[in-house]
Amino acid sequence: MKTIGRESVAQLCSVIAIFLVSVVTIGPVKNIAHAQEYSATAVLCYIDATDHSETYKGNGRTITTGDVFIWRITSDNSLMNGWEYTQDNSNLNKKGMGKIWGSLEMYPDVVSGGYFAENYNMKTKDGLVGVYSGFGSLDGVTVTYEGVPTVSGECPITPPPLCDDKTYDCLSVTGTPYEGFTWSLTGSIEGYTP
């Protein structure tokens, strides 16, 4: 039977002592960010169709590219209140089924110098699901979302910053087929401490 020698015991005690000293020196960890559940409403308020193009394929398929949709998101969690800009592309049949892909950026009202972004590619039959990744002052924060269409929601009177500064040529969706297009969203936020 092999026994632990005095040198091994001394080394083990040294490692344990160093560990204990480092824990005491560091102290308790503060501001651990726990997952936060949220619910929100996303209302389509503006569209920039400057680069809009449509291609018609056989069997009633339409490929649309270049549209930017501007959504107002309101939530029970202040981090999820803000403006979202989606650059959508779609390949849909006559019934509106097919694929949607593109990219988005969401700018929360309460965070300066940070935003969420995502590149997405989804089938319409799978519904609206995805994950935002944080950038800038939101680096390391992730937000999941799932959405279902709903019928309620209002656009604020004041246009969003990227419309106001002419980044996008924003046209109100009031009086268009897009008016009232709204999603009910739920999800969780990880890595964020207010």
Side-chain angles (χ1 to χ4, degrees):
M1 173 186 250
K2 189 172 182 177
T3 58
I4 299 175
R6 286 186 180 190
E7 289 179 17
S8 297
V9 171
Q11 289 173 345
L12 180 61
C13 288
S14 295
V15 168
I16 291 171
I18 291 169
F19 173 75
L20 290 174
V21 168
S22 66
V23 168
V24 170
T25 305
I26 293 171
V29 177
K30 296 180 180 178
N31 292 329
I32 294 177
H34 299 284
Q36 306 167 43
E37 302 298 316
Y38 75 92
S39 60
T41 302
V43 182
L44 181 60
C45 295
Y46 298 93
I47 186 170
D48 179 350
T50 305
D51 295 326
H52 176 87
S53 71
E54 283 187 9
T55 306
Y56 300 97
K57 299 282 185 178
N59 298 326
R61 296 199 78 75
T62 303
I63 300 173
T64 306
T65 61
D67 292 335
V68 178
F69 296 98
I70 296 101
W71 305 81
R72 179 62 190 172
I73 300 177
T74 54
S75 174
D76 58 359
N77 185 303
S78 61
L79 182 63
M80 296 310 295
N81 290 321
W83 288 99
E84 180 176 283
Y85 306 83
T86 62
Q87 165 73 54
D88 278 354
N89 305 292
S90 61
N91 184 343
L92 305 174
N93 64 21
K94 288 186 267 188
K95 295 180 181 177
M97 300 301 288
K99 291 184 179 182
I100 298 174
W101 69 96
S103 61
L104 67 78
E105 291 183 354
M106 190 280 200
Y107 294 86
D109 296 338
V110 297
V111 177
S112 176
Y115 65 97
F116 293 110
E118 178 188 12
N119 291 318
Y120 52 90
N121 188 346
M122 59 185 79
K123 294 180 180 178
T124 55
K125 68 176 181 165
D126 296 334
L128 184 66
V129 293
V131 179
Y132 293 143
S133 296
F135 292 89
S137 60
L138 289 171
D139 191 37
V141 179
T142 58
V143 177
T144 64
Y145 64 87
E146 292 185 27
V148 293
T150 187
V151 292
S152 63
E154 293 183 15
C155 293
I157 296 170
T158 308
L162 295 183
C163 290
D164 224 13
D165 73 4
K166 305 296 184 203
T167 299
Y168 296 109
D169 184 16
C170 300
L171 302 172
S172 172
V173 297
T174 303
T176 73
Y178 294 113
E179 183 176 7
F181 198 74
T182 306
W183 288 92
S184 177
L185 305 170
T186 57
S188 64
I189 303 164
E190 294 193 23
Y192 178 72
T193 302

